[in-house]
């Protein structure tokens, strides 16, 4: 009952054509139309809170507090921020005139790409599908949404809800898995926004390259977390446990592995253990508010990591409810799987360091991370890390929180992604910035023409 059927090529061909035709009517472009579509989205989310919470509970055992904060509340905030600023973002932006262009005016105008495709993963299946949609609407595009087939309750709910308020010529949901996505990727789309894994990101980029379709790739990877000897240990332990074990570690920007300064290693581990106990109790596997692993494939993948080193605490699991305890472990060495794959679960390998240079070398030797977290009260260490490691974005003395403000663009770099979104960046991501030069007819510099006397001499005066 909860499997998602693949969609036929004919259905998808017709849908894309219908959206292309609708986009050409120009209806999606006006400020009023965009604001109304955003109002409808906010209303839809507010009116269906209980159904959304139920779907997220069924797919991922998300607690109400976690689901509201990271999925529902997040979207409502994003819509509110977008509506507040949209008028300003839509205004043409004047630019200066170069000496060579005296008399003319220049400006850029943000134009919608057209038909956009938004592909979502399963870990925040509601939010990661609709947050980019806010950008698509704000920028004046039509949109086709492709939810993850691994969270079928949420996929079906998104489909039902979107149908309630939008005509499919404007915004439509296409449910399905790999096959359906591949048919979608073979369409003459105008823009693709993909959130998911690095290997599938490469598939998307290859498909987009065939038609040179602009893309944004929001990918994943291994995000380091570093605790310096000057850190506030109690606070660091709380904020790291929050970032690592929210959604049972199935967060793209969750701290993946931990580096502890040797002088605070023992104290941190003891404090961390206490914090985890205070968050999830003595028996996290029985705690209703603790998330489950999405399916048995991912569950078994994670269980295998437990033999990659020595377990410091946690390590138990329950196959029946697909839960794994919050686990801290020391990896055998850096060649084991837990130190090479993106973990995406509640297993946390910990290593020790003496000099921050060792950590910097370790991280820059690997793919550029999506996020990085540093706990320190020393400016010098902060600057060293920020200036010497390339990563998508991150927080100092916190985890995850950089994603939750519309004022910071969110995205990766290198293998962790291309482009960014949230707040104005979402509007920018879904818009083409078109440059226009409006030349004066009041006079004309004749020296640029091939028959001009002393033309080159004059040109050299202006262009030097
Ligand atoms: P995934 O790449 O397996 O799937 C994402 C989407 O792509 C799904 O909708 C799926 O149906 C589709 N897909 C899967 N295989 C495909 C193929 N061969 N061809 C075409 N489409 C295909 O990712 P996932 O397992 O759903 O999500 C987990 C990954 O997403 C992690 O790597 C995580 O770090 C990343 N992620 C990134 C962000 C971010 O904002 N950067 C957010 C959440 C998750």
């Amino acid at each position: 009952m909860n499997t998602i059927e693949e969609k036929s090529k004919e259905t998808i061909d017709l849908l894309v054509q219908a959206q292309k035709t609708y986009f050409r009517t120009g209806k999606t472009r006006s400020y009023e139309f965009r604001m109304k579509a955003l109002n409808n989205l906010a209303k839809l989310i507010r009116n269906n809170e209980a159904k959304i919470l139920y779907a997220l509970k069924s797919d991922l055992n998300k607690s109400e507090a976690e689901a509201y904060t990271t999925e529902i509340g997040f979207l409502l905030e994003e819509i509110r921020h977008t509506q507040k600023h949209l008028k300003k973002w839509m205004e043409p932006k004047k630019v200066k005139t170069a000496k060579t262009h005296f008399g003319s005016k220049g400006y850029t105008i943000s134009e919608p790409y057209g038909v956009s495709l938004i592909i979502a993963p399963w870990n925040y299946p509601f939010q990661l599908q609709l947050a980019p949609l806010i950008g698509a609407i704000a920028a004046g595009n039509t949109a086709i949404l492709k939810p993850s087939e691994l969270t079928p309750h949420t996929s079906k709910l998104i489909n039902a809800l979107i149908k309630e308020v939008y005509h499919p010529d404007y915004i439509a949901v296409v449910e399905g898995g790999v096959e359906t996505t591949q048919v979608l990727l073979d369409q003459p789309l105008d823009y693709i926004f993909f959130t998911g894994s690095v290997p599938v990101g490469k598939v998307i980029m290859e498909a987009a390259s065939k038609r040179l379709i602009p893309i944004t790739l929001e990918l994943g990877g291994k995000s380091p977390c570093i605790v310096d000897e000057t850190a506030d240990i109690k606070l660091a332990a709380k904020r790291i446990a929050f970032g690592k074990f929210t959604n049972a570690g199935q967060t793209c920007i969750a701290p993946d592995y931990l580096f502890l300064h040797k002088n605070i290693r023992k104290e941190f581990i003891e404090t961390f253990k206490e914090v985890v106990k205070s968050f999830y109790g003595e028996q996290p596997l029985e705690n209703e508010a603790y998330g489950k692993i999405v399916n048995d494939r991912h569950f078994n993948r994670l269980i295998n990591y437990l033999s990659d080193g020595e377990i410091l605490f946690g390590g138990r699991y329950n196959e029946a409810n697909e839960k794994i305890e919050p686990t801290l472990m020391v990896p055998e060495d850096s060649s084991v799987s837990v130190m090479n794959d993106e973990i995406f679960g509640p297993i946390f390998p910990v290593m020790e360091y003496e000099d921050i240079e060792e950590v910097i070398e370790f991280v820059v030797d690997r793919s550029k991370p999506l996020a990085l977290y540093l706990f320190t009260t020393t400016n010098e260490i902060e600057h060293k890390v920020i200036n010497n490691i390339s990563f998508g974005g991150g927080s100092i003395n916190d985890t995850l929180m950089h994603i939750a403000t519309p004022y910071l663009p969110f995205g990766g770099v290198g293998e962790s992604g291309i482009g960014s979104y949230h707040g104005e960046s979402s509007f920018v991501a879904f818009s083409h910035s078109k440059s226009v030069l409006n030349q004066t007819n009041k006079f004309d510099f004749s020296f640029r023409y091939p028959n001009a006397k002393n033309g080159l001499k004059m040109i050299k005066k202006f262009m030097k």
Side-chain angles (χ1 to χ4, degrees):
M1 180 194 157
N2 275 320
T3 49
I4 305 278
E5 274 174 32
E6 302 289 352
K7 299 296 167 300
S8 73
K9 180 170 168 353
E10 291 68 37
T11 313
I12 291 172
D13 285 351
L14 286 173
L15 174 65
V16 173
Q17 277 318 312
Q19 289 215 350
K20 288 239 164 208
T21 307
Y22 187 70
F23 179 73
R24 277 189 211 150
T25 64
K27 284 184 187 152
T28 64
R29 290 173 181 250
S30 79
Y31 171 72
E32 291 70 27
F33 183 93
R34 301 182 199 194
M35 286 296 275
K36 191 168 169 227
L38 289 169
N39 274 339
N40 287 343
L41 190 60
K43 247 191 263 165
L44 190 73
I45 296 170
R46 275 202 198 93
N47 294 345
N48 290 284
E49 196 180 306
K51 283 187 194 163
I52 300 165
L53 291 173
Y54 178 76
L56 294 169
K57 183 86 187 161
S58 310
D59 285 330
L60 289 154
N61 194 43
K62 287 203 188 195
S63 72
E64 210 174 305
E66 204 177 296
Y68 189 89
T69 318
T70 60
E71 307 241 18
I72 298 173
F74 185 98
L75 289 169
L76 294 174
E77 268 299 295
E78 186 78 10
I79 296 171
R80 198 181 53 78
H81 179 86
T82 303
Q83 290 195 301
K84 190 169 162 205
H85 299 281
L86 184 57
K87 199 163 219 159
K88 185 104 200 108
W89 297 343
M90 283 176 68
E91 281 168 8
K93 311 258 177 316
K94 276 191 200 156
V95 297
K96 283 191 177 166
T97 305
K99 255 193 318 197
T100 42
H101 294 60
F102 184 71
S104 70
K105 286 183 185 133
Y107 61 91
T108 60
I109 184 159
S110 298
E111 68 172 16
Y113 281 116
V115 179
S116 64
L117 169 66
I118 304 173
I119 304 172
W122 53 262
N123 60 334
Y124 291 85
F126 194 72
Q127 190 256 105
L128 291 172
Q129 183 73 85
L130 299 189
L133 177 64
I134 299 168
I137 294 173
N141 299 273
T142 72
I144 297 172
L145 313 184
K146 213 300 284 171
S148 171
E149 70 282 17
L150 300 191
T151 37
H153 291 91
T154 313
S155 174
K156 285 179 181 172
L157 181 66
I158 292 174
N159 194 1
L161 295 182
I162 290 292
K163 267 188 198 148
E164 266 180 39
V165 287
Y166 302 112
H167 194 284
D169 291 0
Y170 175 40
I171 298 171
V173 177
V174 175
E175 291 189 88
V178 176
E179 228 174 88
T180 301
T181 317
Q182 279 167 352
V183 177
L184 281 166
L185 290 171
D186 203 23
Q187 295 289 322
L189 302 160
D190 297 298
Y191 176 70
I192 302 171
F193 188 102
F194 171 79
T195 307
S197 62
V198 174
V200 181
K202 291 178 186 172
V203 172
I204 306 292
M205 193 158 174
E206 198 181 334
S209 74
K210 295 199 177 113
R211 296 178 192 263
L212 294 176
I213 300 170
I215 49 171
T216 295
L217 298 177
E218 293 285 340
L219 309 178
K222 290 182 86 63
S223 299
C225 181
I226 308 157
V227 185
D228 167 50
E229 61 180 325
T230 67
D232 180 327
I233 299 298
K234 184 83 207 273
L235 216 46
K238 275 209 280 199
R239 290 173 178 174
I240 294 170
F242 166 79
K244 180 69 188 179
F245 302 119
T246 289
N247 199 23
Q250 302 167 110
T251 304
C252 57
I253 50 164
D256 186 281
Y257 60 91
L258 182 61
F259 260 115
L260 299 176
H261 190 278
K262 79 177 194 1
N263 293 349
I264 48 93
R265 180 182 188 274
K266 196 161 172 280
E267 184 192 351
F268 181 89
I269 291 174
E270 275 161 19
T271 316
F272 193 64
K273 194 172 166 183
E274 284 313 305
V275 166
V276 171
K277 213 189 287 172
S278 75
F279 281 7
Y280 302 105
E282 294 278 358
Q283 305 295 338
L285 299 179
E286 270 122 62
N287 185 335
E288 253 315 290
Y290 181 59
K292 76 180 263 295
I293 305 306
V294 68
N295 60 21
D296 54 354
R297 182 170 67 83
H298 281 285
F299 181 82
N300 292 324
R301 177 183 65 80
L302 287 162
I303 296 306
N304 282 333
Y305 295 143
L306 297 171
S307 47
D308 278 352
E310 180 201 349
I311 307 286
L312 297 182
F313 70 77
R316 290 178 300 177
Y317 50 88
N318 181 347
E319 218 165 331
N321 63 11
E322 292 176 320
K323 287 188 182 188
I324 302 170
E325 279 186 338
T327 299
L328 195 67
M329 67 184 287
V330 179
E332 231 163 69
D333 54 48
S334 61
S335 72
V336 291
S337 303
V338 79
M339 284 312 300
N340 288 285
D341 306 344
E342 178 182 8
I343 299 171
F344 224 57
I347 297 169
F348 208 12
V350 53
M351 288 172 298
E352 180 184 304
Y353 75 94
E354 201 170 341
D355 187 335
I356 196 70
E357 298 292 348
E358 297 164 44
V359 180
I360 293 174
E361 203 178 308
F362 185 94
V363 180
V364 298
D365 269 352
R366 289 158 174 76
S367 300
K368 294 179 180 181
L370 179 59
L372 181 141
Y373 305 109
L374 170 67
F375 290 77
T376 184
T377 52
T378 315
N379 285 340
E380 192 202 329
I381 297 283
E382 177 179 336
H383 293 148
K384 228 179 203 174
V385 168
I386 298 294
N387 295 327
N388 288 292
I389 302 179
S390 177
F391 56 93
S395 308
I396 307 295
N397 293 318
D398 212 338
T399 64
L400 312 192
M401 296 308 282
H402 64 287
I403 201 177
T405 160
Y407 296 100
L408 281 175
F410 173 74
V413 54
E415 277 220 9
S416 55
I418 295 175
S420 57
Y421 76 129
H422 289 172
E424 189 173 3
S425 302
S426 292
F427 176 83
V428 171
F430 280 86
S431 304
H432 163 60
S433 178
K434 184 155 74 184
S435 298
V436 181
L437 180 81
N438 190 333
Q439 185 61 281
T440 181
N441 284 343
K442 288 191 184 140
F443 51 86
D444 191 28
F445 291 127
S446 56
F447 59 81
R448 71 173 173 173
Y449 299 116
N451 61 350
K453 260 192 199 156
N454 296 328
L456 182 60
K457 211 167 135 196
M458 286 301 285
I459 287 170
K460 280 186 170 173
K461 269 193 182 170
F462 281 101
M463 300 178 82
K464 53 189 178 191

